[in-house]
Amino acid sequence: QKEVEQNSGPLSVPEGAIASLNCTYSDRVSQSFFWYRQYSGKSPELIMSIYSNGDKEDGRFTAQLNKASQYVSLLIRDSQPSDSATYLCAVNPFGGSNYKLTFGKGTLLTVNP
Amino acid sequence: DTGVSQDPRHKITKRGQNVTFRCDPISEHNRLYWYRQTLGQGPEFLTYFQNEAQLEKSRLLSDRFSAERPKGSFSTLEIQRTEQGDSAMYLCASSLDVLPQETQYFGPGTRLLVL
């Protein structure tokens, strides 16, 4: 069974620190990787997508992908209390056509003022 | 608002009743997905449409569940004879099949509580 694993947390960091969120996946043919942020009681909101090995930066967010290690991470620099949410890692398990996503259970991040 | 919309946002029903949810995707998106999310879990795929064609259904989608997208625009998800285990957030997402960077955008969800 194709799986996506995340540490459930909670991960607690002080305001201004770097938060590091990790995700591993089991299906080697996976091609598309996504990080969604989900506030309590709300729906997932896309934060980052990454398709190639290496780093991708967008503002305070950096996604890192290592396909050989089947590992994807999200770094949040200068963490703010408004970043407190559950972060969901999602993977396209079939490669090529993103017609469904497999999600991890999410990591709860708390940023303390 | 040009995002994905869902209706209703909340639904409370009694066990055994039928419920229907609606999803309106982003207007130019040709793919539409339904997911279900329970507390402490990530969303789980239920089914997906390419235009009006339903191309895949998860094993999670029992015979009591049916989904349609009659004109390739909005979609409905119906649950017949609801059970308490159906209580969850039902999420709709849409995307445009532009490879390789197709991205799914989620609606606000419909939270179902079966009493």
Side-chain angles (χ1 to χ4, degrees):
Chain A
Q1 180 172 344
K2 301 173 179 63
E3 294 184 345
V4 177
E5 299 287 341
Q6 296 181 252
N7 291 329
S8 61
L11 173 65
S12 183
V13 300
E15 184 174 356
I18 296 175
S20 178
L21 304 161
N22 304 315
C23 173
T24 59
Y25 58 95
S26 63
D27 192 337
R28 288 191 171 274
V29 303
S30 299
Q31 297 293 327
S32 307
F33 307 87
F34 303 86
W35 284 99
Y36 286 85
R37 177 176 63 197
Q38 187 171 31
Y39 293 112
S40 181
K42 302 298 184 181
S43 65
E45 172 192 10
L46 181 71
I47 296 296
M48 293 281 289
S49 60
I50 187 166
Y51 307 92
S52 304
N53 281 328
D55 295 358
K56 179 182 178 182
E57 185 175 321
D58 184 0
R60 296 186 296 112
F61 299 94
T62 298
Q64 299 174 319
L65 175 61
N66 184 325
K67 290 185 179 180
S69 300
Q70 295 176 239
Y71 175 89
V72 58
S73 67
L74 179 70
L75 300 178
I76 306 174
R77 291 182 300 281
D78 188 24
S79 295
Q80 301 297 309
S82 59
D83 295 327
S84 298
T86 296
Y87 288 80
L88 296 164
C89 174
V91 175
N92 166 13
F94 292 95
S97 177
N98 183 16
Y99 69 96
K100 65 181 180 183
L101 297 174
T102 297
F103 285 84
K105 291 184 178 181
T107 298
L108 177 62
L109 172 66
T110 301
V111 180
N112 301 305
Chain B
D1 185 4
T2 57
V4 179
S5 62
Q6 292 186 246
D7 184 72
R9 298 288 300 276
H10 303 274
K11 180 70 176 179
I12 301 175
T13 191
K14 294 182 179 179
R15 188 177 55 185
Q17 297 295 305
N18 299 344
V19 294
T20 300
F21 309 142
R22 175 178 171 128
C23 171
D24 287 89
I26 294 171
S27 59
E28 66 269 24
H29 284 185
N30 57 345
R31 288 185 176 167
L32 187 148
Y33 308 79
W34 286 98
Y35 292 83
R36 179 171 68 187
Q37 185 177 25
T38 54
L39 197 62
Q41 303 294 316
E44 295 177 292
F45 171 80
L46 293 179
T47 189
Y48 114 95
F49 293 84
Q50 171 95 14
N51 299 311
E52 67 275 10
Q54 187 175 19
L55 296 188
E56 183 172 345
K57 295 196 299 184
S58 163
R59 290 188 302 274
L60 295 174
L61 219 61
S62 74
D63 292 344
R64 297 184 297 105
F65 288 73
S66 62
E68 295 182 341
R69 194 182 183 197
K71 296 184 179 179
S73 56
F74 73 93
S75 175
T76 58
L77 177 68
E78 180 183 15
I79 309 174
Q80 296 181 329
R81 305 181 303 281
T82 52
E83 302 173 356
Q84 289 182 327
D86 297 331
S87 296
M89 171 85 90
Y90 289 83
L91 294 162
C92 176
S94 71
S95 68
L96 188 61
D97 60 342
V98 179
L99 299 177
Q101 298 183 10
E102 178 181 338
T103 301
Q104 295 182 29
Y105 297 92
F106 283 85
T110 295
R111 187 173 296 279
L112 173 67
L113 177 60
V114 182
L115 301 176

